[in-house]
Amino acid sequence: MTHTLEQPRAWSLPQSPRDYVLGHVRAVLADRVLDDARIVVRDGRIVEVGPTRPGTAVDVDGGGLLCTPGLVDVHSDGLERERMPRPGAELPWLFSMMSFEGKLRAAGVTTVFHGASFSDQESAKDRRSVDAALQMCRAIAEWNGRDSVGQLVDHRVLYRLDVRSAAGLAALQGHFDQQVAADRIRRDAQAVISHEDHTPGIGQYADRTFYEKYMVGMRGMNAEQARDAVDELIRDRAGNIAVREESMDWLARQAETGRVRIFGHDPESAVEIADLARRGGNVAEFPTTEEAAREARVRGMSVVMGGPNILRGGSHSGNVSAAELAGLDLVTALASDYLPSSLLGAAFNLADNATMPLHAAIALITSGPAAAVGLSDRGALAQGQRADLVLISREHGCPVVRSVLRAH
């Protein structure tokens, strides 16, 4: 089937056109990379992907660039860092949104889930707190509702619930109820909630010395002060076991309604994965051991690992290597965590090191994360999908985003 435009149509600079034909690109498909490909877009959706045929018209010549679906980032903590680039230097939320969106576009990200941390463990580094989480949610809603020709990035929220924070649970429950009442959270518009427990000695900080180093580096403590602070934190959080159970029970009830997708953050064992499954969990996020990742895959869960872990060559807190898990076919998606550019960098790293072919590595930052959050309309260059397209070159061995076309 050949598609041509009846009449040339002018492009509008503020947004991508709804109808166009992109030709002469290397299209990354689900099972291969198709050289000299042609992608036909109608009304913001892909209607055809195939070889560029001699004599057929194209509106845009891709010049041999690699073409991937728009990247989907299911866990980004970059916005809170954009808002406070250094301790005490707080910027306005909407300015921070604008500034960070530029970094997302440069990284090829067209859908992002910003981590809003419902926790009362406030940090001097990023002012992470219940109030800041609510401010972030309001800023994202305002940004999405602003009057503009076309959104450059689909901004969403990843609700991060500290399961031992009574204040965090109360605030999230209140916010959640408001969103349900306003019909913003429902079965066909699910909320994504990641439950986490950063108590030293378990999960991400199974070796508490890594948490002590974090305290030294981020809060200016000496080694003795850090040990004392961690001891106190462990004692305090041990007294919040009842809050943890209340949080987990509430999450399980929400999962039963079908309005929520549950991420289990930093699971470390098959037992934790089994408990996550029992409570309706869908995703193992940043598993800290091969055992946890393997059990999650056996149970059909998505497994999300961090792009920076792959670029660094390992976990910064002594846990399992994301590249090793990817080599064992135990990873279904990558998240930027705090560095948007790490997504493409990690995918190309996996391909360059022959851990997996390029099309499989790109799936970890497109279709894989889209599946993890239940978005079936994006993440692939296939008929019926949103025409979120990214054109990429290689410079000095690194992937560079040359253009982003996002459907509206």
Side-chain angles (χ1 to χ4, degrees), residues 76-93:
S76 172
D77 292 335
L79 178 55
E80 64 183 9
R81 296 183 179 215
E82 196 74 19
R83 176 181 171 248
M84 185 177 289
R86 62 173 58 183
E90 294 183 45
L91 301 174
W93 274 107

Side-chain angles (χ1 to χ4, degrees), residues 364-382:
L364 296 182
I365 57 177
T366 54
S367 60
V373 292
L375 296 177
S376 61
D377 65 342
R378 67 199 70 188
L381 299 183

Side-chain angles (χ1 to χ4, degrees), residues 253-271:
R253 291 195 301 272
Q254 300 313 313
E256 288 176 356
T257 70
R259 294 190 297 245
V260 176
R261 295 185 70 83
I262 304 295
F263 284 28
H265 190 80
D266 296 337
E268 61 182 359
S269 68
V271 171

Side-chain angles (χ1 to χ4, degrees), residues 3 14 39 42 80 82 135 143 154 172 195 205 211 238-240 248 256 264 294 305 308 310 314 330 375 392 404:
H3 293 270
I39 301 173
R42 292 290 181 266
E80 64 183 9
E82 196 74 19
Q135 289 180 33
W143 185 264
D154 185 358
L172 180 55
H195 66 73
Y205 296 105
Y211 201 96
N240 289 334
M248 299 299 283
E256 288 176 356
R294 192 172 295 280
M305 294 298 289
I310 290 175
L330 296 178
L375 296 177
I392 302 163
V404 177

Side-chain angles (χ1 to χ4, degrees), residues 101 143-146 148-155 406-408:
E101 187 172 84
W143 185 264
N144 289 337
R146 74 195 194 284
S148 64
V149 175
Q151 300 288 348
L152 298 178
V153 175
D154 185 358
H155 295 272
R406 181 171 180 267
H408 298 285

Side-chain angles (χ1 to χ4, degrees), residues 28-102:
V28 181
L29 308 182
D31 59 349
R32 68 193 189 282
V33 176
L34 177 62
D35 291 332
D36 200 16
R38 175 174 174 270
I39 301 173
V40 180
V41 176
R42 292 290 181 266
D43 198 26
R45 297 278 172 166
I46 297 171
V47 299
E48 182 183 342
V49 180
T52 299
R53 299 184 182 92
T56 57
V58 299
D59 300 299
V60 186
D61 188 332
L65 293 172
L66 196 73
C67 181
T68 75
L71 276 55
V72 179
D73 189 358
V74 298
H75 183 131
S76 172
D77 292 335
L79 178 55
E80 64 183 9
R81 296 183 179 215
E82 196 74 19
R83 176 181 171 248
M84 185 177 289
R86 62 173 58 183
E90 294 183 45
L91 301 174
W93 274 107
L94 292 184
F95 176 86
S96 303
M97 290 281 297
M98 178 275 296
S99 179
F100 190 60
E101 187 172 84

Side-chain angles (χ1 to χ4, degrees), residues 176-253:
F176 187 88
D177 289 344
Q178 291 174 1
Q179 297 299 298
V180 171
D183 200 33
R184 297 190 186 99
I185 294 177
R186 52 188 189 272
R187 293 181 68 91
D188 63 342
Q190 293 177 306
V192 182
I193 303 178
S194 174
H195 66 73
E196 53 194 55
D197 187 341
H198 284 314
T199 302
I202 62 174
Q204 179 179 352
Y205 296 105
D207 182 346
R208 58 169 285 169
T209 60
F210 284 98
Y211 201 96
E212 292 171 10
K213 292 177 182 177
Y214 167 84
M215 301 287 272
V216 169
M218 291 299 185
R219 302 196 182 181
M221 298 180 178
N222 61 38
E224 183 178 358
Q225 289 172 329
R227 283 193 299 272
D228 291 342
V230 169
D231 286 341
E232 183 178 358
L233 179 60
I234 291 173
R235 287 193 297 270
D236 288 345
R237 293 179 73 79
N240 289 334
I241 293 295
V243 177
R244 185 185 191 282
E245 289 306 306
E246 182 182 358
S247 297
M248 299 299 283
D249 290 345
W250 178 76
L251 288 170
R253 291 195 301 272

